[in-house]
């Protein structure tokens, strides 16, 4: 069966520090991968999605970036965090072909920027 | 552009009362509509999708293209229904990213 893992689960970082959140999917090949941010009062905001290695689409211009170095690995990064980057980050995957549109979410990473 | 609107941030109902979580959407093509739920300390997960026309945990949702709505309903709320509910939309192919609403927190009071 397919599983998705995110880490770290919790992160407290000072303003201006770098960020790296990692997401890995197991049990499937060629998944579509997504990063969402869940912030209070703003719901779920799509940040990035990827349909293949090295293929990244950005939905919201900001100081975050994403990379997909391997088929089942998706990384969210920042060189310098802002206070406004605080939130709950969710990684998700969906089948490349034959999918119904359903997304499968990870457990999330809570980022607090101080 | 795709947009999903959930007008209520918080909905409180008494146990046994009917529940309706509202969702309206904006999309130029034929949408795929979904309801996702996040229970306390659990992952966000799919509750139901409009193409399945199924009832999950007593919840149903009907796509009304005329009113561009996809409201989630349950005739008798249970305490375990307390959770965060998100309405989501995707393009018909199912291969476009899901766009989510801001969510509605349902609180069922005993």
């Amino acid at each position: 069966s397919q599983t998705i893992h995110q880490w770290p689960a919790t992160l407290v970082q000072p303003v201006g520090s770098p960020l790296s959140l990692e997401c890995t999917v197991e049990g499937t090949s060629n998944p579509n991968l997504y990063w969402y941010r869940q912030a209070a009062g703003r719901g779920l905001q799509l940040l990035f999605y990827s349909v293949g290695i090295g293929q990244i689409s950005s939905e919201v211009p900001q100081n975050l970036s994403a990379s997909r170095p391997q088929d089942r690995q998706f990384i969210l990064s920042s060189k310098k965090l802002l206070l406004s980057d605080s939130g709950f980050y969710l990684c998700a995957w969906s089948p490349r072909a034959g999918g119904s549109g359903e997304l499968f979410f990870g457990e999330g990473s809570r980022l607090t920027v101080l | 552009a795709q947009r999903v609107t959930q007008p209520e941030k918080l909905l409180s109902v008494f146990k046994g009362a009917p529940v309706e979580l509202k969702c309206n959407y904006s999309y130029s093509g034929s949408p795929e509509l979904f309801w996702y739920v996040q229970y306390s300390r659990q992952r966000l997960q799919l509750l139901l999708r409009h193409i399945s026309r199924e009832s999950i945990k007593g919840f149903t949702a009907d796509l009304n293209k005329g009113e561009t709505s996809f409201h989630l309903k349950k005739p008798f709320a249970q305490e375990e229904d307390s959770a965060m509910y998100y309405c989501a939309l995707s393009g018909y192919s199912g291969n476009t990213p899901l766009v989510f609403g801001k969510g509605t927190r349902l609180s069922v009071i005993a």
Side-chain angles (χ1 to χ4, degrees), chain A residues 100-103, chain B residues 19 21 23 31-39 44-63 69-75 81 84-90 98 100:
Chain A
S100 62
E102 179 179 359
L103 294 185
Chain B
V19 174
L21 299 172
C23 172
E32 295 274 5
L33 273 297
F34 305 81
W35 276 99
Y36 279 75
V37 61
Q38 190 170 28
Y39 301 103
L44 187 62
Q45 58 187 288
L46 178 69
L47 179 63
L48 55 79
R49 66 196 85 183
H50 90 269
I51 58 172
S52 299
R53 294 184 169 272
E54 55 194 347
S55 174
I56 303 294
K57 298 184 179 183
F59 285 98
T60 59
D62 292 318
L63 179 60
S69 68
F70 188 56
H71 302 328
L72 183 68
K73 300 178 183 179
K74 184 171 182 176
D81 296 328
M84 192 74 177
Y85 291 81
Y86 291 95
C87 183
L89 176 153
S90 176
L98 281 181
F100 286 83

Side-chain angles (χ1 to χ4, degrees), chain A residues 14-88:
Chain A
V15 169
S17 65
L19 171 73
S20 181
L21 300 179
E22 195 162 335
C23 172
T24 301
V25 180
E26 297 176 357
T28 187
S29 298
N30 304 316
N32 292 332
L33 296 172
Y34 310 84
W35 279 110
Y36 284 85
R37 179 167 58 200
Q38 191 177 30
R42 301 188 63 180
L44 273 170
Q45 183 184 35
L46 177 65
L47 301 176
F48 302 95
Y49 70 97
S50 171
V51 298
I53 295 175
Q55 300 179 60
I56 309 294
S57 296
S58 174
E59 293 295 305
V60 182
Q62 55 202 329
N63 69 321
L64 298 173
S65 62
S67 61
R68 185 170 177 173
Q70 300 180 45
D71 180 46
R72 291 170 291 175
Q73 185 184 27
F74 205 25
I75 298 171
L76 183 69
S77 305
S78 174
K79 292 182 179 178
K80 288 185 178 181
L81 285 168
L82 306 173
L83 285 174
S84 57
D85 291 325
S86 293
F88 193 57

Side-chain angles (χ1 to χ4, degrees), chain B residues 11-12 30 41 83 88 99:
Chain B
L11 183 64
S12 296
S30 294
R41 301 182 187 278
V99 174

Side-chain angles (χ1 to χ4, degrees), chain B residues 27 29-32 51 90-96:
Chain B
Y27 184 62
S30 294
E32 295 274 5
I51 58 172
S90 176
Y92 184 71
S93 67
N95 283 323
T96 57

